[in-house]
Every structure is written in structure tokens, then in C-alpha cells.
Amino acid sequence: MGSPDTACASYLDPILERYGYRSVNLLQILREAQESFGYIHPDAVDYLMLKLDIPRTKIEGVASFYSFLHLEPRGKYRVLFSDNITDRMLGSQALMERMCRNLWAEAGKITEDGLLSVDTTSCTGMCDQGPALLLNNIALTRLTEQRVDDICSLIRQQVPLHAWPTEFFQVTDNIHRKDLLLSEGFVPGAALEAALHRGAAGMLAELEASGLRGRGGAGFTTAVKWKSCRNAPGEQHYVVCNADEGEPGTFKDRVLLNSYADKVFEGMTLCGYVIGAKQGILYLRGEYRYLLDKLNAVLTRRRAQNLLGKNILGQPWFDFDITIHLGAGAYICGEESALLESLEGKRGTPRNRPPFPVTHGYLNQPTVVNNVETFAATCHIATAGGACYADIGTAKSTGTKIMSVSGDCARPGIYEYPFGVSVRQVLEDCGATHTQAVQVSGPSGVTVAAHEFDRQIGFEDLPTAGAFMVFDRNRDLFEVARNFVHFFAHESCGFCTPCRVGTSLLRNLMDKLHNGHGSPYDIKEIENLNQLLLSMSHCGLGHTACNPVLNTIVKFRPAYEARMLHQEFTPAFDLDWSLQAARQMTGRDDNLAHLSNTEPLP
Amino acid sequence: MSKTFTLDGKTIPFKDGQTIIQAALDAGYYIPHLCHHPEFKPHGSCKLCTVVVSGHQTASCTLQPAEGMVVESETEQLNAERRALTQMLFVEGNHFCPSCEKSGDCQLQATAYHLGMMTTHYDHFFPNRPLDASHDDYLLDLNRCILCSLCVRASRDVDGKNVFALAGRGAQTHLIVNARSGRLADTDFSATDKAAHVCPVGVILPKKRGFAVPIGERTFDKQPIDAYVDSRLARKES
Ligand SMILES: Cc1cc2nc3c(=O)[nH]c(=O)nc-3n(C[C@H](O)[C@H](O)[C@H](O)COP(=O)(O)O)c2cc1C
Ligand code: SF4
Ligand code: SF4
Ligand code: FES
């Protein structure tokens, strides 16, 4: 073996070369370094410090922010079970225990032989075909006991991943209702031709007439965003497509990218044309790593078709190209300013705003950040015109919306409707019966109870980024909310005090209720925390972290009352329970090894 | 004519580029704060400095005022929420004030007094945090770190060294130092660094000099924190 330098150089040099030795690409460099070596070795950190001319603190600070990057050895096979409530409802927890039992593994740890680590991760976006897991960051779907056993033996025999049965990795679209966006017959280049014909100002006017609002959740008017960015001074303008899709229960961007990538890339190119950008970046969540090669192939084809690259469609002044940037397991990077930080190779911490990305975005230059679905929709506006688009949907919510339906229903999958569709209609179409509640737009959205099923999807009533999780009468809405609260505590970026500490406090309170120590005092505490998170948090994550609890407390009170075993405040600390570890270590479980809580302490 | 805004009804002049808190402190009005320091770039993470501007709550250390802006700070509601944030910072780390060298000189403690915090209210996290005594002149007691990043900014922007950085995410966020070993002794940190003198709590402490000023005669024993206004004054005393 040579010195650490030469050992690392062999796999790091080509990566550094590809990313131009630029520290702004640090996240991509670290991700690829890990793909080559299994984890980010301290020698690799030394080498990168040298070659990128950045301090070790920067590299370690970034690497430790992202769930999928590791500064310490992990198993050769790294298994992460998707831990969304929908995966749980399909039995993910028992399957994970089964795998641990089969392979003598302990959740959260690496096995002694270094072969395997098993853990959980936030929703992987496979809710319609779960339970799902990520194996070395590649998605596996439709787990059953049989499949878990098969996986275990493949791991035991150390079969390399590429030799595994391909059906394990199959991800299907499951489209059950198509409308405008999911219709077939889009000819690549058609929208660009139409836009060129209209001219940039004309295209912007159509966008304005369409009334299109962002599909990523916040519903900001797209034309306003594009226009402000177009008018903002800067050396370069940038187009960024937000494909972080981290909101649990959302998977429509995955389907758009899998089968309608041309529309997404063409929408980005349209935007480049309108705002005068030369570069577009797709921020693809790490969980969708398996789509990377396919998407790159689409980009290559579009370059060959003269729809990307230099002189697009023969226009000498029209240069635009797109690169793909992969995330590494951080929900917060879906927040647009955190996403920009991440694109710049930093920790995904939301920026202080103002200024906004339209004037100070990627590399501090004017940048449009839009959701995948928003870009796809602009293609239809370019071809058919804004008025035509505005005819679909409702007055304040024009066009269609793609929903990701999962949970208790016969036909989970993708449904596209004109805005204004009722919750009841969607439930009927997906074959849901005895429905107790629907979580619209994921944990940060709204819990809709049965008496509200006539409410409509749209910015006027129920805005949504796309998630539609169905819970039937047998589900315990308290446990649903508790799962969501754990999600927020896990995904808080930790930048601001209220959210960093508050989401953990909230999780602890929900666990306290779960453990049977709850009283009305705790409900009051939850309400106070919510107020604090709402008013003091730095970004949307903190603002919405209490939503699931507040919604369910009001609408499903009995689920909480069943937990409030006490009328008076009771501490979360239980003396007898905390002796559990001592009992385990001494192998005792007799009467004398237990403290009765009713006996006063000496 | 300089521009002005009002803070709790008082007229505050400001210069372009100043933040609300800078203008307020310059004019002699205290707004509670922990991660703000007049010499460093705004950070906006502790949220103690939150004020109300036209009905919206926002950190005053990151927002620039506009002519005629109406800002509220000393409201019962805001101070109650600031108190809750302070309590959160206390339970998140391990703060044993009676045995802490920084007691009486500590901004977290002084802010808690100022806000009338009587208990920590929330259940303590009791995190496992290391103590780094490797360096000859300085000690790091990370039990008390409130993640304000002042040392990070001081080392990066003033000392040009990057000795400190925040690592991890969420509740696991923690301070790291610039050495493969993870030890302060193996960094280029020095006692003369600006970063050695900015910690608002008792993390970055000089060695070989304990309790030089007796408790009872320390910075905030003499005057409450709001009497100092500018956090630099606190340091000049010691
Ligand atoms: C915590 C958080 C997570 C978010 N995640 C996403 C996401 O995964 N995808 C997305 O498109 N927008 C997400 N957003 C919204 C973005 O900040 C931004 O509003 C959006 O990308 C703008 O695009 P649009 O106007 O096309 O909706 C998130 C916001 C917050 C606060
Ligand atoms: S609210 Fe939460 S996620 Fe947002 S900045 Fe604060 S800690 Fe980070
Ligand atoms: S060590 Fe002190 S200055 Fe540095 S982040 Fe922690 S509390 Fe702030
Ligand atoms: S002082 Fe403004 S957020 Fe900390």
C-alpha cells in the first residue's frame, strides 16, 4: 500500500476531475467518494482538503448533515427501511425485525463482521408499492416475508447488487387517472418551438394568463416568479428544478421524472429561455438515485435532438444545458433556500430571507426554483396557450393536480384531476372504504376527517403538494400523528432554537402519551409548543411541525383521551421502567427486581 | 436627515445596511439576543431577538428596518416566548451554573435572569457531550454550547482559521474543531484568537485561571444584561 494520498487518489482524482476541483460541488464529490469506497474515510477527507483547498471542518460539517453520508464505516450492505406511516401500515416494522433476526443484526448498528447495517429512514416515496427499503441507496419495493428472506440470503452469500433479481428493484408508475399532464403524445421540442414563436415576453404573457401556481406546496404564482427573475440584474441566471420530494406520502415527481422527463426538462428549458439562463440544475432527492442514469440518458438524447446545449433549435443565441445534482437524505433540502445551499455544497440550512432566490439564488445570482410538476405544466401552457389552461380547474387554482394516493385503499398510485375535485371523489376512485381520515399534503398538511370529505383540493380550500394518505376505521390517528412528529424531529435541520429543541420536546411529549403517562397538562404543553414553533421558527418546517398533532387533537379527540390515563400531571420518568436495563444485564425479572410505583420511596 | 423607525414607540435612527438590532443597540435600546454580536455577520439562529413588525414575528438581527417601520419588542407575549427559548437552551445542554467558571459573566444566564426565568420548565435532555482539555491554554466544555456559531464566525472571518464549525443535523447538531483527531490541541487555535473571546456561555474557557473574580462581583452581578446594551461591554469588564 502506498501513502494515504496515493490510495485515495486512485478513486478521488477522477471524481474531482469530473467536478472541476470546485468546492461548490462538495456534496456531489462526497457522495461519489462514498459510492466508491463505502464511506468517507479520514484519508479521503485529508485528500479533499488539499485538493479543494477547504478546511476539514467544512467537509465534516457538510458530510455529517446528510443522513446518507458517513464519516465512519458502515456495513458493506446498508439497509434502510422506509419508515413512513404507510410503510408501517404495510408491516415494515415486523419485516425489519425479521431481517435483523435472520442476520443477527441490531437496528442502528453495524454487524461485527462489517457486512451489514440495518436502520430506518424517512419516507422513500414508494408508498404505493411498499413496504420499501433502500439498499446502498437503491430502492427495493413490495417487501414481503419471502422477499426479506431472499434478500437476507443474498446478503449472506455476499452477492453483488447487480446480480440480484431485477424484480426486487422494480418501481412501477401505477397511474390510475390521467388528465392534461399525464396525457401521452407530447413531442419533445413542441413546447419550445411554440415558445420561440411567441417570443419570451409572449411566453410570459401566456404564463400570466394561465394563472399557474407552484405545485411544490406554497402555491406562489409562477409568472410572477419568472418575471421577477428575468428582471433581476445578475451575471448569470439559473433555473433550478426542485425534485427533492421529501414530504412523506408524495411520489408524483418520481413518476413524472420516470415517464415524463421530457416535459420536465423542456419546462426548465422554457424557463431558461424566458429568464435568460444558460444553466439549469435538477435537484434530485438521494432516494431516487436509481433514476439518475435514466435521466442522464434523456438529457443526452435531448442534446442530440438540439433541444439542449448550444444553439437550441438552431437559434444562435439560445444556449442552455441541464445537470443533475443528487441530494443525500435531508428533507429540509426541499425548502428552496436550503436546497440552494445544498447545491452550493453546503449544509442544507435555510437562508435568511429576504433576499429571495429570484434575485439572490444559486451562487447569489437570480434563480427560479420550481417544482417538477410546475415545470411540466408550463409545456402545456406554451403549446395550447394560457387561456386554455386557465379553463381547467377553479378560479384561483387553474389546471390539474397530480395526487399520490397511498394507505388504506384498493388502488394506491397516481391520480391526476382538475383542481376542485373533492376528497370524497378521490376516495371513491381509489377504492377506499370505511375511511376515517385523509392526510392531505403530508405531515405538514391537513388531517381531513370524514365529515369534511366534501372539501375540495385547491388553493381555496385544501392546498396540496400531492400527498393523499388514506386511513380507515381501524387506524389509530394518534399513532399516525406520532409517526409524523418523529419525522419532523428527525428532519429538523437544527439551525434555529425553537425547531431544533421544540420538535424533540414534541416528540417526547407524544412518546410520553404513548407510554401511558399522559394528562391534560401535556395537551396544553403541546399547544404551547405549537404557538412557539409557529411564531419563532426560521422556516416552514418548524412552522408546520405541530400541524399533525393539532389537527388530530381537535378532530380525533378520543384517540388522545385514551392516552390520558391521568388527570393530574405525571412525569415522563418511570422509576421501574428505568430499571429495565439493570434487569436485563443481571438477567433478573422477579418481583424483587421491580419497583411498584404505588409504594413510597424510602 | 437620517431615517428612523420606532421601537416600542421610541424613535430610532438607522443607517442603510444596518439591522434593526444594530440600530436599536446603537441608540441604547436593548433587545434580548444571544447569537448576535455587533462585530460579526448576522446569523439569526437563536431567535431571542425576535420582534413584531407589522403583525409578523421576525428576527431583528437579520432584518433591515425601513423608514417609518413600527417595531414591537417589549411585549408580554414576546418575552414569554423568549423565556421559553431560553429554557429550551438550558434543557438542551448541561448547564450547572453553580460550578461554572462563566457564572455571572454568562449571557445565557444573564438573559434568563432578565426574562424572569424561574425554572427550566421542560424535561432535561441530559446529552452526552465531551470535554476537550487537550489544549495547553484553553478548555472546551461542550456541555454548555448553545450553537450560536459566534466562535465559528470569529475564527473564519476574523482569525482566518476555521478552527470551529457546526456539524451534525437537528438535535445532533454539535461543535467540531479543525483536526483529524477532533482535539483542540491539534488545531492552530491560539489564546490570542478572536474566537477565544466570543463565546457567550462557558464553553471556550482559559485554563490556569479559575474564579479570578469572585462570584457576586462579576459582570452581570453588578448590572443586569439590559444595562450593558452592547454585548462587547460585558467583556471589557472582565
Ligand atoms: C420544509 C420544506 C420542504 C419542502 N419540500 C419541497 C419539496 O420536496 N419539493 C418542492 O417542490 N417544494 C418543496 N418545498 C417548497 C419550496 O420551498 C418551494 O416553495 C418550491 O420548490 C417552489 O416551487 P413551486 O413554486 O413550483 O411550488 C418545501 C418547503 C419547505 C418549507
Ligand atoms: S425551523 Fe427547523 S428546519 Fe427550519 S431552520 Fe429552524 S431548525 Fe432548521
Ligand atoms: S462554543 Fe460558544 S461561541 Fe461557539 S457555538 Fe458554542 S456557545 Fe457559541
Ligand atoms: S440574536 Fe437574532 S436570532 Fe440570535
Side-chain angles (χ1 to χ4, degrees), chain A residues 476-506:
Chain A
D476 180 347
L477 267 296
F478 170 83
E479 285 302 325
V480 173
R482 194 165 76 93
N483 174 268
F484 292 164
V485 161
H486 274 250
F487 165 77
F488 285 123
H490 183 258
E491 296 296 342
S492 164
C493 86
F495 173 74
C496 70
T497 311
C499 172
R500 182 182 70 241
V501 185
T503 52
S504 289
L505 288 171
L506 183 66

Side-chain angles (χ1 to χ4, degrees), chain B residues 140 142 144-152 164 166 175 195 198-204:
Chain B
L140 290 186
L142 295 169
R144 303 158 185 160
C145 180
I146 57 170
L147 307 169
C148 70
S149 102
L150 273 172
C151 58
V152 178
F164 299 104
L166 295 183
L175 194 73
V198 291
C199 183
V201 294
V203 179
I204 308 175

